[in-house]
Amino acid sequence: MAKSKSMVTQTVHQFAEKVALITNGADPVGKAAALQLAMLGAFVIVGVRNQSDAAAFSLDELTSLGTLAGVTEADASTVGGASALVNFVHERFGRLDLLVDCVQLSPSVENNDHVVEYATALMSERPKPKIVQLVNSRAESDAEQTLLTRFWALPAALGDKFRVNCVISRGDYSAQAGELVRPPTPIPPKDVASVVVFLLSSESKALNGQVLYAG
């Protein structure tokens, strides 16, 4: 019984004062992951692409959970936005432990790895850096994303201590509450976010280069 209590305590406190970056707070799963990490004691920085996205995410939601947090306007899909986002984290905390890279895939949009390139430079000094690429996919094939995740997970790419995994969601969370017809969402964003948080935790240390499908 004492061992079980110790394990629970470790799970609750393992995120305490870890610095986490979520690149898109307007993404429903990204927002849910930010809130869950904040509840677990992480210091959370959230990116929003524009003022419209900023309206969908409230900094007060994070700070009300009793943690240090920040929100900044930067589009991580661009070189300049990715650089600005990581610079904001550096100026605020000087370190980065966890990255949730929110990626939108569609037939007309190609993935990029700008934010991973910039963030890993800041994460490389941390003892157990972890990256989850959170993909909202409307593309016919996820093969390119799968290959990219597996590439980043190679020791030759980032080093032995990095853990890089991917969660691909095909759920449509874009419908508004007032719509008469809503697309099915079999798995709520908060449940997909729980998978993301698990991959950022010490319980997932044996997983690397894995692509999980949810939603």
Side-chain angles (χ1 to χ4, degrees):
M1 188 69 176
K3 181 178 180 181
S4 175
K5 183 177 180 181
S6 175
M7 291 174 64
V8 170
T9 302
Q10 180 180 355
T11 301
V12 170
H13 294 292
Q14 66 175 290
F15 290 105
E17 299 187 1
K18 293 283 184 68
V19 178
L21 169 61
I22 290 80
T23 61
N24 185 5
D27 181 295
V29 179
K31 178 179 180 178
L35 293 171
Q36 289 182 26
L37 288 167
M39 283 190 290
L40 292 168
F43 300 156
V44 181
I45 295 293
V46 178
V48 291
R49 294 170 298 182
N50 47 48
Q51 288 297 315
S52 177
D53 283 355
F57 192 93
S58 170
L59 178 60
D60 292 341
E61 290 184 87
L62 287 175
T63 55
S64 67
L65 297 171
T67 191
L68 298 179
V71 177
T72 185
E73 186 176 329
D75 185 352
S77 67
T78 67
V79 174
S83 176
L85 192 54
V86 174
N87 283 339
F88 184 84
V89 178
H90 183 266
E91 292 171 2
R92 189 71 182 270
F93 294 109
R95 57 188 172 90
L96 179 60
D97 300 281
L98 311 170
L99 170 64
V100 179
D101 182 16
C102 303
V103 178
Q104 296 284 337
L105 288 186
S106 72
S108 60
V109 178
E110 295 184 0
N111 189 13
N112 60 70
D113 50 17
H114 302 313
V115 73
V116 174
E117 291 176 349
Y118 284 106
T120 50
L122 188 57
M123 301 174 77
S124 61
E125 299 301 320
R126 305 304 296 161
K128 298 178 181 179
K130 293 185 176 66
I131 298 172
V132 174
Q133 293 189 296
L134 172 60
V135 180
N136 191 327
S137 178
R138 299 291 178 273
E140 293 182 1
S141 173
D142 304 310
E144 182 180 351
Q145 177 61 50
T146 299
L147 289 172
L148 185 59
T149 296
R150 289 175 178 166
F151 167 75
W152 284 125
L154 293 172
L158 299 179
D160 291 330
K161 63 183 178 180
F162 273 87
R163 292 292 178 268
V164 184
N165 294 290
C166 178
V167 176
I168 296 179
S169 172
R170 293 195 176 97
D172 186 354
Y173 305 114
S174 62
Q176 301 299 314
E179 292 182 1
L180 295 177
V181 179
R182 302 184 66 184
T185 55
I187 302 179
K190 65 181 180 64
D191 292 337
V192 181
S194 295
V195 177
V196 173
V197 173
F198 165 73
L199 290 173
L200 294 172
S201 74
S202 61
E203 281 79 7
S204 70
K205 62 185 178 182
L207 299 179
N208 195 31
Q210 300 302 305
V211 179
L212 306 182
Y213 288 85

